[in-house]
Amino acid sequence: MSVVISGFATASALGLPLGTLLGRWVGWRGSFVAVVLIGLLVLVAAAVLLPRVPAAAPAAADHRPATVRSAFAPRVLAVLAVGAVMFAGIQSALTYLVPFLEGTSGVTGPAVGLFLLGYGVATTAGSAVGGRFADADASRAIVVGTAGVTLSLLLLSLGGTSPVVAGLAVVGIGLSGMGIAPSIQHRVASLAGPAAAVAASLPASAVNLGIALGASAGGVAIGIAGIPAAVGTGVVLAAAAVGIAWLSRTLAPPERVSR
């Protein structure tokens, strides 16, 4: 799972800085056109290069009410809440990272792309090694990772006037945030028990929900107190994720009953 997640992280590592630079050169409309063209190229490449694999027929049990209840059991929702709240904290800050760097850290021009590249590389590295932590102790990895995100956001909030400190904080956010993505996936599948296949899609949904809520929360904070308030909001949300992670660390999978 960490290998798959690393693929998405690598895309961010390349796409964030390149998209930012492209937007500066050709404008946001030109960058959107570039995304469409790249998407078409990927579609053609996938159709030509990927082998055809017959889809397995869904198990009848996947549609039973008991399976759905297991997939959305409180123990599963608790771990999903960690992912949603943590990524809300991350995106509250990162959605507005460029204006924060320009207005607070004094980083402008192409140098902004270097910060975004650093974040992308950090997410790739974090997700690549996150699988090992998930195998060792997923619950502990989630607690440590959310704490790392909180401390990194706090560092960005308090020391963001220094470009060096801001860069270290951005890298820390990427390492910690994506480093626990495999652990969240592992915990959700484990806690869902027989509904693991159904629950496997839920972490991505929780993360996307967190991204939307975080960007909205950061925007509201900026409207009230300016750009730095978005990072402060991220600190609060990430700290809440630490609390949820700590409380959920002892949750156990359902008993396996053999017939």
Side-chain angles (χ1 to χ4, degrees):
M1 183 56 66
S2 65
V3 174
V4 176
I5 295 174
S6 296
F8 293 102
T10 303
S12 297
L14 298 175
L16 283 173
L18 291 178
T20 300
L21 292 176
L22 187 63
R24 291 181 181 276
W25 291 336
V26 300
W28 67 269
R29 290 183 177 85
S31 63
F32 271 76
V33 171
V35 169
V36 172
L37 294 177
I38 293 172
L40 291 175
L41 289 175
V42 173
L43 176 62
V44 173
V48 173
L49 299 176
L50 293 181
R52 295 184 179 275
V53 179
D62 291 346
H63 304 288
R64 294 176 181 172
T67 302
V68 176
R69 286 197 298 269
S70 296
F72 290 91
R75 58 182 177 272
V76 176
L77 295 178
V79 178
L80 293 175
V82 175
V85 176
M86 185 193 71
F87 275 92
I90 291 175
Q91 291 304 316
S92 176
L94 290 187
T95 301
Y96 309 97
L97 180 61
V98 172
F100 179 87
L101 291 174
E102 293 176 340
T104 302
S105 306
V107 179
T108 58
V112 173
L114 295 178
F115 278 74
L116 298 177
L117 177 62
Y119 172 76
V121 171
T123 59
T124 300
S127 57
V129 301
R132 296 183 179 273
F133 296 109
D135 290 337
D137 191 332
S139 298
R140 181 175 61 189
I142 293 174
V143 174
V144 173
T146 51
V149 170
T150 303
L151 292 176
S152 298
L153 286 169
L154 184 61
L155 181 64
L156 182 63
S157 178
L158 298 179
T161 53
S162 167
V164 175
V165 174
L168 292 174
V170 169
V171 170
I173 295 169
L175 283 173
S176 302
M178 289 304 296
I180 66 171
S183 293
I184 292 177
Q185 191 79 35
H186 182 283
R187 283 283 283 164
V188 166
S190 175
L191 293 174
V198 178
S201 64
L202 298 180
S205 299
V207 167
N208 287 324
L209 176 62
I211 290 173
L213 293 177
S216 299
V220 171
I222 289 173
I224 297 174
I227 295 292
V231 179
T233 302
V235 174
V236 175
L237 290 170
V242 176
I244 301 172
W246 178 261
L247 293 175
S248 65
R249 73 191 189 284
T250 58
L251 294 175
E255 294 183 359
R256 296 181 180 274
V257 180
S258 61
R259 296 188 179 183

